């Protein structure tokens, strides 16, 4: 038990909760709601960047017939919800509102000369979704992964393994780990996406504290190696998604957290 004491002495406390998704096609009619109304369905975007790459900021997206809103897509906290148009969300580096309003005033035969979007993300389905964006540090097209928000229930901790290493998570409610439980989390395969095989969820009573040790097994290794030890506290305020990624600077993994709270009222 000395090992556990040493591991948890320097560990940070995590607050937790949620996981995956699949979509339905969205049509242009999706944009028919009032320009000022907050959409009840659509996508929230969040960055998951192992090497620290980011997206341009600010960005602008269509929020009504001629209205474009400003948004910043960052890590940890998802963006406001955005409804796709024609199954796509286009982001612009400049506000196209004036051009769209001028074209609308000129009549139906006048086409709006909008700037080219700096980022176009096809949306694979409908409903409330989270899009995890992995930017390309070289400036290429980012990778995107869609998950249904309903899969990330509150009152729990959720892990997505984006690495090629199998994981093992050991959880215990007792400080001495006498009630420990080991669970396996499989590796990520692009063709399968985020699925039950590479995800893990722990749900429980609000306020309950749970200790955990997260370990991985690298290629040709004989045993698992610990890389994260801490505690999480069950909460009903938000979903905590912890994404495991390969550290690009060394032969280990790291944990990137996403806090998925309810939509702003």
């Amino acid at each position: 038990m000395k090992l556990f004491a040493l591991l948890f002495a320097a560990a940070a406390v995590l607050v937790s909760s949620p996981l995956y998704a699949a979509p339905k096609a969205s049509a242009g009619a999706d944009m028919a709601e009032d320009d000022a109304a907050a959409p009840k369905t659509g996508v929230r975007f969040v960055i998951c960047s192992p090497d620290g790459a980011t997206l341009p900021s600010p960005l602008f997206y269509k929020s009504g017939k001629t209205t474009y809103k400003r948004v910043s897509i960052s890590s940890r906290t998802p963006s406001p919800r955005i409804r796709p148009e024609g199954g796509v969300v286009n982001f612009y580096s400049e506000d196209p509102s004036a051009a769209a309003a001028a074209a609308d005033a000129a009549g139906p035969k006048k086409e709006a000369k909008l700037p080219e979007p700096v980022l176009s993300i096809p949306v694979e389905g409908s409903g409330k979704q989270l899009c995890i964006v992995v930017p390309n540090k070289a400036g290429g097209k980012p990778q995107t992964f869609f998950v249904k928000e309903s899969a990330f229930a509150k009152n729990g901790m959720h892990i997505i393994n984006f690495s090629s290493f199998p994981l093992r998570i050991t959880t215990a409610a007792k400080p001495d780990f006498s009630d420990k439980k080991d669970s396996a989390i499989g590796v990520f395969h692009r063709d399968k996406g985020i699925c039950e095989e590479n995800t893990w969820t722990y749900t429980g009573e609000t306020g309950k504290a749970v200790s955990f040790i997260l370990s991985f097994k690298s290629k040709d290794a004989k045993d698992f190696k610990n890389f994260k030890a801490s505690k999480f506290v069950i909460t009903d305020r938000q979903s905590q998604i912890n994404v495991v990624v390969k550290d690009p600077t060394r032969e280990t993994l790291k944990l990137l957290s996403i806090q998925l709270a309810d939509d702003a009222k």
Side-chain angles (χ1 to χ4, degrees):
M1 289 302 113
K2 288 184 178 179
L3 171 61
F4 297 131
L6 289 171
L7 286 168
F8 286 106
V13 175
L14 297 178
V15 183
S16 336
S17 269
L19 275 187
Y20 21 87
K24 294 178 188 174
S26 221
D30 287 347
M31 300 302 301
E33 62 183 63
D34 186 294
D35 286 2
K40 294 181 174 60
T41 61
V43 187
R44 288 194 275 180
F45 296 87
V46 68
I47 289 175
C48 176
S49 180
D51 59 7
T54 60
L55 294 176
S57 183
L59 293 168
F60 298 86
Y61 68 93
K62 193 171 184 181
S63 180
K65 187 177 180 181
T66 61
T67 302
Y68 289 77
K69 288 185 177 180
R70 175 177 175 149
V71 68
S72 292
I73 301 176
S74 59
S75 60
R76 197 170 180 82
T77 304
S79 71
R81 194 173 304 284
I82 300 172
R83 295 193 74 173
E85 184 179 40
V88 178
V89 176
N90 289 316
F91 292 101
Y92 302 86
S93 59
E94 299 175 5
D95 188 352
S97 297
D104 183 64
K109 293 184 179 180
K110 179 71 174 179
E111 289 189 13
K113 293 184 178 180
L114 302 180
E116 286 295 317
V118 293
L119 179 62
S120 293
I121 298 182
V123 178
E124 302 162 357
S126 63
K128 292 185 175 183
Q129 297 189 80
L130 177 69
C131 178
I132 299 174
V133 183
V134 183
N136 187 327
K137 201 164 190 177
K141 186 177 180 180
Q143 297 183 70
T144 56
F145 303 91
F146 288 87
V147 294
K148 287 190 177 296
E149 290 185 13
S150 58
F152 295 91
K154 297 180 178 63
N155 295 80
M157 176 187 180
H158 307 265
I159 291 177
I160 302 173
N161 184 10
F162 267 172
S163 81
S164 59
F165 299 142
L167 306 178
R168 182 178 67 197
I169 185 163
T170 303
T171 55
K174 296 181 180 180
D176 63 357
F177 270 65
S178 59
D179 61 341
K180 73 174 185 175
K181 179 181 178 181
D182 291 334
S183 300
I185 308 173
V187 302
F188 180 80
H189 296 285
R190 178 73 203 209
D191 58 339
K192 292 183 179 180
I194 299 171
C195 59
E196 290 186 6
E197 183 180 321
N198 52 38
T199 58
W200 175 88
T201 295
Y202 184 106
T203 56
E205 182 182 350
T206 300
K208 180 180 180 181
V210 180
S211 300
F212 75 90
I213 297 174
L214 197 54
S215 55
F216 72 100
K217 190 174 183 181
S218 57
K219 188 178 180 181
D220 301 326
K222 293 182 179 180
D223 204 356
F224 283 82
K225 179 180 180 180
N226 298 334
F227 76 94
K228 182 68 177 181
S230 189
K231 290 184 180 180
F232 60 89
V233 178
I234 301 297
T235 176
D236 59 3
R237 297 190 304 273
Q238 63 185 10
S239 300
Q240 177 97 7
I241 306 164
N242 297 284
V243 183
V244 177
V245 296
K246 171 73 171 59
D247 189 328
T249 64
R250 52 202 180 107
E251 194 64 17
T252 189
L253 303 177
K254 58 182 179 181
L255 211 60
L256 304 177
S257 294
I258 300 170
Q259 298 177 349
L260 185 64
D262 289 336
D263 289 293
K265 302 299 183 184

